[in-house]
Amino acid sequence: MRERSNAPAAVLVDLDGTLVDSEPVWWEAQNEVMSSWGSSWTTPDHTYCLGGPLERVSGYMADRIGAPARAEEVGRQLLSAVEMRMRSQPPRWPPGAVNFLRACRRSEIPTGLVTAAWRILVDASLERIRADVGGAPFDVVVTGDSVTAGKPHPEPYEAAAHAIGVSPQDCLAVEDSPIGVQSALTAGCVVVAVPQGARIDDANALVVDTLENRQPQELWLDARRHRRL
């Protein structure tokens, strides 16, 4: 049995931006939806919406469009546009992401996917992720539409830890956005941030440039030491 001090009880990983470089997909889909309404989408808009959840993103987009756009309708359009792209394109892996997941499996560390994306989008990605990782990559999947309160609320990370049967305090969370980092930290997780488009300023999270050549046990120890500083 692993010593709890040397390895996390579970690794909880965000999807968009952290595990799969899907931000270009979202950028294309958001531009498509906004153009269909005769409006525009900018890099600051995209950065503001990083980390979701869908209700927050579609609400922001509807506000940018103005009347008669409604958040629910914009959200349906966005889901459809993103799903089409995810099903037709292979996943774009950030450096080290595949090997990091494989290392978790080799070390028999339970893993959870904790994402603001809705289940329909996660399902569009999971089959391709399984093929690249070489087996089922996650013991638990928590999506944006499976919780009452999405990120930055702590519920998604609390739900994932509970489903695995461990305490959030014993989990390593890997995120890429300020919203996701806030969610994981508030839940009590030990957090590593791999920023992909937004600056992470929270001193309680260990910020690294990449998952390349990083092992879950190593990141766990480094992040715990960082938190105690």
Side-chain angles (χ1 to χ4, degrees):
M1 184 176 178
R2 293 187 313 272
E3 287 293 333
R4 184 59 49 83
S5 59
N6 293 328
V11 172
L12 309 178
V13 188
D14 174 53
L15 179 63
D16 292 309
T18 304
L19 191 59
V20 177
D21 184 15
S22 55
E23 297 309 332
V25 170
W26 282 90
W27 168 261
E28 292 171 5
Q30 287 160 340
N31 271 281
E32 176 185 308
V33 171
M34 295 297 280
S35 294
S36 74
W37 286 91
S39 189
S40 62
W41 192 247
T42 67
T43 298
D45 292 327
H46 183 72
T47 300
Y48 176 79
C49 290
L50 284 174
L54 180 69
E55 294 85 354
R56 178 176 179 269
V57 177
S58 58
Y60 177 84
M61 293 173 72
D63 286 344
R64 287 270 286 108
I65 295 166
R70 294 182 296 108
E72 295 82 1
E73 184 175 359
V74 172
R76 285 193 297 271
Q77 287 182 267
L78 183 59
L79 274 175
S80 177
V82 173
E83 183 188 10
M84 179 192 69
R85 286 169 171 80
M86 286 187 171
R87 290 195 181 278
S88 62
Q89 301 174 12
R92 310 175 192 183
W93 294 99
V98 172
N99 287 333
F100 181 76
L101 281 182
R102 289 173 178 163
C104 291
R105 306 316 274 171
R106 285 196 303 270
S107 300
E108 298 183 346
I109 301 173
T111 55
L113 182 67
V114 185
T115 175
W118 281 25
R119 185 77 204 201
I120 190 173
L121 301 183
V122 175
D123 287 343
S125 300
L126 276 180
E127 185 174 345
R128 292 176 180 270
I129 291 174
R130 288 190 193 99
D132 286 355
V133 173
F138 307 111
D139 298 281
V140 168
V141 174
V142 175
T143 61
D145 53 340
S146 69
V147 293
T148 303
K151 301 175 184 179
H153 194 278
E155 183 186 348
Y157 279 97
E158 292 170 342
H162 177 74
I164 293 172
V166 298
S167 168
Q169 287 76 16
D170 294 326
C171 294
L172 175 68
V174 186
E175 274 281 357
D176 76 306
S177 70
I179 287 175
V181 166
Q182 182 181 344
S183 174
L185 285 172
T186 306
C189 299
V190 175
V191 179
V192 170
V194 192
Q196 297 298 323
R199 183 180 176 86
I200 307 292
D201 292 319
D202 198 311
N204 292 307
L206 172 67
V207 178
V208 299
D209 293 332
T210 176
L211 291 176
E212 189 77 58
N213 299 320
R214 304 305 292 264
Q215 298 295 312
Q217 297 91 334
E218 170 201 0
L219 284 178
W220 168 254
L221 294 174
D222 288 349
R224 290 181 71 204
R225 281 193 290 266
H226 173 82
R227 192 168 64 173
R228 289 196 295 264
L229 294 178

